[in-house]
């Protein structure tokens, strides 16, 4: 694109994307309506609702856009696949697949899946819809690549209500964790070139989620609550109890990536867990780890993680993967602020998927344009010293291990995954 102006680059990228997805819209009028809608999502309208998008596009009424979202014949899942391929192509292989959910605060009771439920969007229990999303991130950028609408049991147990919102009869109740697992399977089956997965503790504490990733041969670093139980043949421990026994020299200062104010530095401690003789091959290709991130300014502020990583991994790489989880928060913020992800007015199930997928496409275009100037993240390195020989944390080669866990007399909650 040498010699092209910034406007020319934008126009060329957008036209290439429209050509890529045009086949998903069988009729010419649908294709032009889709183009106008995506251009509107990328435009300067104060709000990205039906009327303002129609006005921005030069339409007299929003009727055409409403038909595009609600009644026209086209496959939002096929378009989602196009978005995923496009993002992977523009951002490259070896990235991190990130799972998280976000809320869409709504009024009324008729929008598909709406209900009183907690959402981090408002930080409280609110009347909202919840979407489970996946983002793909590399050193060149990040973008949303998949989505599912969470339906509470109050919806799936009322089939008349579901039919009124055009929710398919075959769509039953699924937890957010089950939706996340479906998304991971779909992304990997479609060839998304992710090497790692990360997620917050709502997903990380789910043994079924972690086990799926191991079965798929993926590395992961997932957040878990401080009460997370670590099991071995010698007993069961809470992760915060294990981390509390880490010697002072097990902690090292590392950056988990750049933030708005520069490198995000914390103290990190990590130790390999014993191999699982039931699940792991011999010799193992991956090791499991416990990992903790401690605030530099407030040592009492500690976040906990479980990891599954290829043999030979360095701790700074585990810290980088843990830190990449914030990329999906940046995707949510950008897609909502710049592409109208949360400004839809549709109430029915198909309309939600269609608007969300078109907004993901718009955000992917922004990501692709930004990726043209992106540079790969620079890995850091750190040194460690020998620990006390009395500590259960022992050095093995170039890393720490918890190979000989001796239980202390204590009251342990009943084992859970």
């Amino acid at each position: 694109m040498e010699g092209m102006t910034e406007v020319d680059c934008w126009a060329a990228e957008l036209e290439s994307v429209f050509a890529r997805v045009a086949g998903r819209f069988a009729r010419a009028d649908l294709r032009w309506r889709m183009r106008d809608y995506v251009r509107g999502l990328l435009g300067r309208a104060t709000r990205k609702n039906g009327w303002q998008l129609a006005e921005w596009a030069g339409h007299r009424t929003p009727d055409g856009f409403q038909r595009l979202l609600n009644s026209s014949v086209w496959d939002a899942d096929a378009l989602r696949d196009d978005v995923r391929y496009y993002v992977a192509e523009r951002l490259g292989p070896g990235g991190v697949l990130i799972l998280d959910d976000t809320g869409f605060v709504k009024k009324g009771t008729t929008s598909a899946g709406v209900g009183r439920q907690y959402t981090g969007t408002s930080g409280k229990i609110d009347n909202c819809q919840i979407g489970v999303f996946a983002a793909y991130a590399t050193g060149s950028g990040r973008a949303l690549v998949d989505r599912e609408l969470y339906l509470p049991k109050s919806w799936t147990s009322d089939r008349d209500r579901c039919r009124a919102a055009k929710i398919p009869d075959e769509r039953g109740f699924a937890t957010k964790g089950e939706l996340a697992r479906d998304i991971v399977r779909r992304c990997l089956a479609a060839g998304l070139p992710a090497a790692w997965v990360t997620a917050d503790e709502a997903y990380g504490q789910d043994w079924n989620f972690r086990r799926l990733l191991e079965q798929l041969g993926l590395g992961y670093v997932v957040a878990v609550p401080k009460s997370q139980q670590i099991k071995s043949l010698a007993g069961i421990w809470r992760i915060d109890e294990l981390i509390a026994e880490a010697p002072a020299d097990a902690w090292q200062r590392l950056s988990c990536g750049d933030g708005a104010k520069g490198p995000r530095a914390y103290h990190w401690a990590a130790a390999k867990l014993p191999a699982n003789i039931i699940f792991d091959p011999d010799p193992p290709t991956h090791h499991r780890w416990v990992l903790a991130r401690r605030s530099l300014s407030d040592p009492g502020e500690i976040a906990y993680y479980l990891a599954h990583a290829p043999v030979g991994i360095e701790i700074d790489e585990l810290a980088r993967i843990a830190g990449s989880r914030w990329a999906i928060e940046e995707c949510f913020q950008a897609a909502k602020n710049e592409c109208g992800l949360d400004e839809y007015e549709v109430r029915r199930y198909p309309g939600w998927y269609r608007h969300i997928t078109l907004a993901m496409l718009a955000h992917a275009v922004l990501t692709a344009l930004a990726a043209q100037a992106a540079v790969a993240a620079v890995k850091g390195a750190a040194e460690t010293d020998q620990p006390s020989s009395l500590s259960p944390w022992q050095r093995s080669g170039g890393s720490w291990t918890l190979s000989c866990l001796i239980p202390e007399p204590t009251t342990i909650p009943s084992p859970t995954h």
Side-chain angles (χ1 to χ4, degrees):
M1 294 188 179
E2 186 176 355
M4 296 178 67
T5 67
E6 182 177 354
V7 173
D8 290 336
C9 289
W10 272 70
E13 186 68 23
L14 199 53
E15 285 303 316
S16 74
V17 169
F18 288 151
R20 180 189 293 256
V21 303
R24 303 303 183 188
F25 303 86
R27 299 201 329 253
D29 62 323
L30 274 184
R31 289 195 291 274
W32 284 107
R33 213 167 283 147
M34 176 274 295
R35 292 165 65 101
D36 284 349
Y37 195 82
V38 173
R39 288 180 182 277
L41 293 175
L42 290 168
R44 297 181 178 275
T46 306
R47 282 184 55 80
K48 308 294 175 71
N49 57 32
W51 276 103
Q52 292 207 24
L53 289 178
E55 182 178 301
W56 188 92
H59 300 184
R60 289 188 299 174
T61 71
D63 294 353
F65 286 159
Q66 290 172 358
R67 287 194 296 273
L68 174 71
L69 298 179
N70 292 312
S71 59
S72 299
V73 179
W74 60 279
D75 188 343
D77 285 348
L79 182 64
R80 171 208 61 203
D81 294 343
D82 290 338
V83 172
R84 186 194 303 119
Y85 291 132
Y86 172 64
V87 169
E89 179 185 292
R90 290 296 191 263
L91 298 187
V96 183
L97 184 65
I98 311 162
L99 283 298
D100 201 358
D101 52 76
T102 190
F104 303 90
V105 178
K106 296 294 174 183
K107 296 179 180 179
T109 61
T110 58
S111 296
V114 74
R116 298 282 298 172
Q117 48 198 331
Y118 177 81
T119 171
T121 302
S122 61
K124 62 181 181 179
I125 294 176
D126 221 329
N127 196 61
C128 63
Q129 295 167 295
I130 300 290
V132 178
F133 286 82
Y136 182 65
T138 71
S140 298
R142 72 276 301 171
L144 300 171
V145 293
D146 211 328
R147 74 289 178 265
E148 287 288 357
L149 179 63
Y150 171 70
L151 299 177
K153 288 183 179 179
S154 59
W155 274 84
T156 56
S157 62
D158 186 343
R159 299 319 301 182
D160 289 338
R161 189 184 189 194
C162 286
R163 292 186 186 102
K166 300 297 183 183
I167 297 171
D169 287 341
E170 62 270 19
R171 176 69 194 271
F173 176 73
T175 66
K176 298 183 186 75
E178 288 170 334
L179 295 177
R181 296 200 296 273
D182 287 343
I183 287 173
V184 170
R185 292 188 191 97
R186 191 158 57 223
C187 287
L188 270 292
L192 185 74
W196 293 91
V197 173
T198 189
D200 69 12
E201 63 183 49
Y203 301 93
Q205 66 184 329
D206 180 356
W207 181 87
N208 291 303
F209 180 69
R210 300 195 308 272
R211 183 62 189 144
L212 171 67
L213 302 181
E214 294 176 10
Q215 291 171 328
L216 292 172
L218 287 168
Y220 64 73
V221 182
V222 292
V224 294
K226 66 180 182 180
S227 59
Q228 179 69 41
Q229 294 182 351
I230 309 300
K231 300 179 181 179
S232 80
L233 295 177
I236 301 171
W237 292 260
R238 282 173 49 124
I239 193 171
D240 59 345
E241 294 172 346
L242 288 176
I243 296 300
E245 293 193 44
D249 52 0
W251 294 91
Q252 52 187 304
R253 178 170 174 157
L254 296 170
S255 170
C256 60
D258 290 339
K261 299 180 180 179
R264 291 174 290 154
Y266 297 89
H267 283 135
W268 294 83
K272 284 187 287 188
L273 292 168
N276 188 312
I277 60 175
I278 298 175
F279 296 134
D280 297 341
D282 185 18
T285 59
H286 290 68
H287 290 303
R288 294 179 188 83
W289 296 71
V290 293
L291 187 71
R293 185 197 72 199
R294 188 175 70 191
S295 169
L296 299 179
S297 58
D298 181 4
E301 184 182 312
I302 301 177
Y304 303 93
Y305 302 85
L306 292 177
H308 178 251
V311 171
I313 197 72
E314 298 290 338
I315 297 175
D316 60 337
E317 179 71 354
L318 296 179
R320 183 187 71 83
I321 301 303
S324 68
R325 184 173 66 82
W326 295 106
I328 196 168
E329 299 292 345
E330 295 169 350
C331 287
F332 290 150
Q333 183 178 5
K336 289 180 178 182
N337 291 346
E338 300 171 21
C339 304
L341 184 75
D342 60 342
E343 294 183 3
Y344 54 87
E345 295 174 327
V346 293
R347 291 187 173 87
R348 292 176 174 177
Y349 184 87
W352 186 89
Y353 278 91
R354 289 178 171 191
H355 168 83
I356 293 295
T357 307
L358 289 167
M360 286 168 52
L361 176 64
H363 178 248
V365 171
L366 296 181
T367 297
L369 289 164
Q372 294 174 8
V375 294
V378 179
K379 296 181 179 179
E383 298 179 355
T384 57
D385 298 321
Q386 294 294 331
S388 166
S389 61
L390 298 178
S391 171
W393 288 56
Q394 302 294 330
R395 178 175 294 284
S396 175
S399 60
W400 296 83
T401 67
L402 289 167
S403 58
C404 184
L405 300 177
I406 303 176
E408 295 289 336
T410 184
T411 301
I412 300 291
S414 58
T416 64
H417 294 308

